[in-house]
Amino acid sequence: MTTLPVPRGPRSRGADKPRKDSAGSADPRIDWRRVVYHALVSRALDDVEEATNRNKTSVPREHVVLYQFSARGHEVAQVILGALINHRHDAASAYYRSRPLLLSLGLTIDDALASPLGRAGGFSDGRDIGVVCNIPNRDGPVVLPMSGDVGSQYTPCAGWAQSIRYHAQTLEEREWDNAIGVVLGGEASVATNGFWSALTIATTLSLPMLFYIEDNGLGISVRGDMQTPGGDITRNLASFQNLFVRNGDGTDPEQTAALLTECVDHVRGGRGPALVRLTVPRLCSHSGPDNQRGYRTEAEISSDTERDPLPRLRSYLVPSRLSDEDWSAIETEVQRDVQAGLDAARARPNPDPSTIARWVYADDTPDSAEAFGGLSRAERSALGGTTSAADGGDVVRFAESVRRTLRRELEVNPKLVVFGEDVGRKGGVHLVTEGLQKQFGADRVFDTSLSEEGIIGRAVGMSIAGLAPVAEIQFRKYADPAAEQLNNCGTLRWRTANRFAAPIVVRMPGGFGEDVGDPWHSLSDEVRFAHAYGWQVAMPSNAADAVGLLRSAMRGANPTVFFEHRSLLMTSDGSARYPGDDFVVPFGSATVLRQGSGVTVVSWSAMVHRCAEAAAGFGDDVVELIDLRTIAPWDHACVLESVRKTGRCVIVHEDSLTAGFGAEIAARVAKDAFWHLDAPVDRVAVENVPMPYHPVLLDAVLPSVEMIAARIEATLRA
Ligand SMILES: Cc1ncc(C[n+]2csc(CCOP(=O)(O)OP(=O)(O)O)c2C)c(N)n1
């Protein structure tokens, strides 16, 4: 990974020696020449993009920005903030209007212009909107990968802030001391789940995290008083415990500098989180396609224009701190640099379509670059693992096998952390993590606040900070509130063209319980994760595979959903011989549980046991039973080879029939083994109803041994 260049722009002579004069903060961290330079660059970039887009008909199509977002009006405050994000392990989690901040943190003008044009290279290699940026800086502040969803920037930043403490105190890497996480958001974003989830995490744990709210009064067209009553989040948070709150005018350079230094010093000094709201004008439409004339009056637009922070910055600095000539010289330099950047950006080639499938998953070939996030390749290979199960292990329950595997990984990997609701003191509602907090301490095995978005977003931030988070979602259904973070985690490597990755492990109990079900605790719906980009999905049917797959995930480079079926946790069905402390099962390798030449039965998780019972009724060489073990990736080679031999295929799963994962397998078999088929491919699954509570109803919806046997029989006769 190359180190990014330091921001360009003139550095004031003597900027490190504070001068106490009437204009200009005396804080040596704020170099006003650089503030001017970056604020003017940002404005010039918006000018170029907007002018080009306005004259669409007269410029070549490839020079038009397809999705343009301007930061006009937000520049000065952001660039002052950038001057204070200066610790090697600081991170900023930003959003689409944050380009001024990024310029001050090392975004080059070439990249800033080339990416909106969708050119090759840059922070997404043409895969993402140009203002959705990232900076994987290993020697200075990092900009976490942004996302398009408003509010999703908050909880990963809380994860980074918690990791600062973990690195500094638990791992005793003292160079992390006094680092901070800074999250940027507009005033509309304070209405999102992510904002409140991160605020809860940061304040309950007293994390080094600064919330920077830039209030331009509009969320596209909706006014701020729809996002928080009265329209001022700081008034409403005035009594929030453990939060230092400041409010001010983001167009006033002196006030902005004073408020930001006060907040940053508070957070950096270990006194807990802070939130600052700065009012700024939005001197533009929301985005290129938006015509604000429909919802803003001329009077509103012109009153915002009068609050333009750039003339105010000029009159603040000139003549007391900069001369007229100084200012003009910076303007000339900006014009020159932006023109050079534009030429360089336009000269870049388009991205290469043949590479588009790269980076959905990790490429572990030694010559491919390492992404920022997760364990390094060297750390993972030092952990190793064996695919041979140890002989003579004792028979363990599924729950015990997961606990032992977590315990072992906590022992050998100091970067591993285990967390979720009730996971710490209680040991989890399924008792899978029982005793782990006592053994490893509350910094490594901990309870979280009740927010699944917080659990997953925090895990993403921790993973990017180099830790190995293993999060528990208490029941599969309760992953619903985390859908946005889960989806963004899965696309993270791809959309940053391998600059970042967050290989988190998410343990998720679900499916019907022993004799009981209901629509909340018994969902399986694993197909959703198989459909999501970038995820591995493990569906183990027994304790030995659970050990191997969970370890593979924890030592791997891709995010993984690890499904713990409730009916297997404490039953003999789920039990198996413990396969050893270093046992791994590779993803995408099915196991043939029973050989046969009459019909192939494919299943996974709890249904494997019902299939095995049904298969036993057909004599020795009839049913070939395949336990897929993982559905993303899934072992098509094994299934196809078997179907080519048997000519018949029945797929059995607990998830709903319609668009369940069986449909994917059936389609593949129909295409790639068509000429070998002697009967239609059949699927046995729940008939598209939610899981009911009463055992009588539960039995009526779940595929039973008898039902599976009948369908095997019918397929054999067809
Ligand atoms: C989760 C989500 N919902 C809706 C949108 C569409 N959207 C994009 S920006 C925006 C308004 C955000 O306003 P604010 O947070 O105040 O930031 P500003 O654009 O004013 O800087 C909306 C509704 C989105 N991107 N993500």
Side-chain angles (χ1 to χ4, degrees):
M1 183 66 54
T2 51
T3 306
L4 289 150
V6 290
R8 294 191 61 180
R11 186 179 280 282
S12 296
R13 254 170 282 115
D16 294 340
K17 300 187 201 101
R19 264 194 295 155
K20 220 26 194 160
D21 46 18
S22 59
S25 157
D27 193 302
R29 288 169 290 183
I30 299 171
D31 180 338
W32 287 99
R33 282 173 186 265
R34 284 159 71 88
V35 170
V36 173
Y37 175 82
H38 290 305
L40 292 182
V41 168
S42 173
R43 184 64 63 91
L45 298 181
D46 288 333
D47 286 345
V48 167
E49 290 176 349
E50 284 165 2
T52 310
N53 280 15
R54 257 196 311 278
N55 304 320
K56 267 187 199 151
T57 47
S58 57
V59 293
R61 207 183 121 61
E62 68 268 23
H63 291 168
V64 172
V65 175
L66 300 173
Y67 213 148
Q68 202 262 345
F69 283 86
S70 165
R72 208 177 273 277
H74 289 233
E75 303 95 336
V76 174
Q78 278 187 33
V79 174
I80 294 173
L81 175 67
L84 301 169
I85 303 179
N86 53 13
H87 186 292
R88 178 157 180 244
H89 294 301
D90 282 351
S93 189
Y95 77 112
Y96 50 82
R97 229 178 281 290
S98 306
R99 192 161 65 183
L101 174 89
L102 268 85
L103 289 165
S104 72
L105 293 181
L107 174 64
T108 64
I109 297 174
D110 301 13
D111 270 356
L113 282 166
S115 301
L117 290 171
R119 298 300 158 88
F123 31 80
S124 83
D125 202 16
R127 294 169 173 207
D128 204 343
I129 301 172
V131 286
V132 178
C133 316
N134 59 72
I135 304 183
N137 194 355
R138 293 192 192 267
D139 295 311
V142 172
V143 178
L144 305 184
M146 296 182 193
S147 328
D149 332 62
V150 173
S152 65
Q153 70 270 39
Y154 286 103
T155 54
C157 188
W160 183 278
Q162 189 168 350
S163 305
I164 291 171
R165 179 173 298 163
Y166 191 87
H167 277 290
Q169 294 178 12
T170 307
L171 297 176
E172 297 182 4
E173 296 168 1
R174 302 318 312 197
E175 78 269 17
W176 285 76
D177 275 338
N178 306 113
I180 63 173
V182 180
V183 65
L184 287 79
E187 84 292 336
S189 73
V190 306
T192 63
N193 300 342
F195 172 80
W196 291 101
S197 177
L199 193 66
T200 303
I201 295 170
T203 49
T204 52
L205 300 180
S206 203
L207 295 179
M209 177 164 170
L210 172 62
F211 293 76
Y212 173 94
I213 305 300
E214 31 201 330
D215 187 342
N216 63 23
L218 288 169
I220 304 185
S221 65
V222 179
R223 288 182 211 284
D225 54 10
M226 188 60 78
Q227 314 298 351
T228 192
D232 176 354
I233 187 69
T234 58
R235 290 179 69 175
N236 297 331
L237 289 175
S239 63
F240 211 83
Q241 292 295 293
N242 214 10
L243 184 68
F244 183 78
V245 180
R246 287 291 179 267
N247 186 18
D249 179 353
T251 69
D252 176 339
E254 187 166 61
Q255 192 186 118
T256 298
L259 290 175
L260 290 178
T261 47
E262 194 185 7
C263 288
V264 167
D265 290 347
H266 176 93
V267 177
R268 223 182 263 301
R271 280 170 276 153
L275 181 144
V276 60
R277 164 189 180 247
L278 294 171
T279 54
V280 291
R282 196 182 88 191
L283 303 174
C284 48
S285 56
H286 167 71
S287 64
D290 170 45
N291 178 359
Q292 56 180 343
R293 306 274 153 181
Y295 57 85
R296 276 176 117 183
T297 64
E298 285 302 330
E300 284 168 345
I301 292 174
S302 68
S303 101
D304 252 9
T305 309
E306 280 161 27
R307 293 182 59 228
D308 188 339
L310 288 185
R312 197 147 177 203
L313 179 66
R314 190 178 198 286
S315 57
Y316 172 63
L317 294 173
V318 179
S320 60
R321 189 160 257 248
L322 298 178
S323 67
D324 259 332
E325 294 72 36
D326 286 338
W327 185 279
S328 303
I330 300 173
E331 281 179 331
T332 308
E333 189 177 354
V334 167
Q335 270 174 13
R336 189 198 62 209
D337 291 350
V338 169
Q339 188 56 53
L342 185 60
D343 294 342
R346 285 178 170 171
R348 280 197 200 174
N350 283 331
D352 176 0
S354 73
T355 64
I356 194 58
R358 272 197 100 185
W359 313 127
V360 175
Y361 290 101
D363 174 353
D364 253 350
T365 51
D367 57 341
S368 73
E370 283 219 63
F372 192 113
L375 299 178
S376 69
R377 215 172 266 157
E379 285 172 320
R380 286 190 284 111
S381 81
L383 287 166
T386 170
T387 52
S388 313
D391 288 334
D394 48 336
V395 174
V396 288
R397 302 257 194 237
F398 193 113
E400 170 66 12
S401 77
V402 173
R403 188 181 311 120
R404 274 203 205 180
T405 309
L406 291 172
R407 185 182 293 131
R408 166 72 176 171
E409 295 304 296
L410 281 159
E411 275 161 4
V412 298
N413 179 2
K415 294 187 172 172
L416 194 103
V417 285
V418 174
F419 54 91
E421 292 152 16
D422 303 291
V423 157
R425 289 208 306 164
K426 179 175 165 64
V429 296
H430 311 277
L431 299 182
V432 171
T433 55
E434 199 177 22
L436 295 182
Q437 185 180 76
K438 227 178 212 143
Q439 187 177 348
F440 295 97
D443 48 347
R444 302 199 63 200
V445 180
F446 53 89
D447 292 325
T448 64
S449 41
L450 201 168
S451 164
E452 286 73 16
E453 163 154 13
I455 292 170
I456 302 302
R458 166 186 356 216
V460 168
M462 292 183 121
S463 179
I464 295 173
L467 303 183
V470 181
E472 177 178 305
I473 294 290
Q474 206 158 71
F475 289 91
R476 157 68 190 89
K477 174 76 177 69
Y478 306 142
D480 289 1
E484 184 180 72
Q485 292 296 338
L486 288 163
N487 286 326
N488 292 357
C489 177
T491 58
L492 196 139
R493 184 190 293 275
W494 178 87
R495 63 193 154 88
T496 64
N498 198 42
R499 282 158 63 105
F500 280 92
I504 68 175
V505 177
V506 184
R507 296 178 35 245
M508 214 180 274
F512 64 92
E514 291 168 63
D515 296 332
V516 70
D518 68 67
W520 319 110
H521 302 93
S522 307
L523 189 70
S524 53
D525 198 20
E526 66 272 12
V527 73
R528 235 171 256 250
F529 304 110
H531 190 73
Y533 312 104
W535 283 90
Q536 300 182 143
V537 184
M539 303 294 297
S541 67
N542 64 75
D545 287 346
V547 169
L549 291 168
L550 182 58
R551 175 163 295 107
S552 263
M554 292 190 289
R555 298 182 179 185
N558 292 302
T560 303
V561 167
F562 181 83
F563 198 84
E564 296 170 11
H565 201 285
R566 289 175 62 211
S567 77
L568 300 178
L569 284 172
M570 294 301 290
T571 56
S572 55
D573 267 0
S575 302
R577 287 203 179 278
Y578 184 68
D581 280 345
D582 283 309
F583 181 61
V584 292
V585 170
F587 275 71
S589 88
T591 178
V592 179
L593 293 179
R594 183 188 176 95
Q595 308 269 352
S597 54
V599 57
T600 302
V601 173
V602 184
S603 193
W604 52 90
S605 192
M607 282 297 144
V608 165
H609 301 281
R610 295 189 180 199
C611 291
E613 210 178 318
F618 287 89
D620 278 349
D621 180 40
V622 180
V623 176
E624 180 139 305
L625 176 56
I626 297 177
D627 178 355
L628 271 192
R629 304 201 285 193
T630 69
I631 59 164
W634 68 281
D635 194 344
H636 9 91
C638 173
V639 172
L640 290 171
E641 189 190 323
S642 173
V643 176
R644 285 179 189 134
K645 178 178 73 178
T646 63
R648 291 177 161 81
C649 182
V650 177
I651 304 148
V652 183
H653 60 70
E654 177 180 340
D655 197 357
S656 277
L657 183 71
T658 300
F661 198 70
E664 174 68 26
I665 298 170
R668 187 73 186 255
V669 167
K671 182 166 185 298
D672 291 340
F674 182 78
W675 300 108
H676 297 82
L677 285 174
D678 297 322
V681 178
D682 196 12
R683 290 178 293 147
V684 185
V686 170
E687 294 280 351
N688 303 328
V689 290
M691 281 294 149
Y693 174 59
H694 195 284
V696 172
L697 300 177
L698 188 64
D699 283 346
V701 300
L702 285 174
S704 62
V705 173
E706 296 70 34
M707 188 195 293
I708 296 166
R711 300 282 278 273
I712 292 173
E713 176 77 38
T715 300
L716 283 167
R717 285 168 186 274

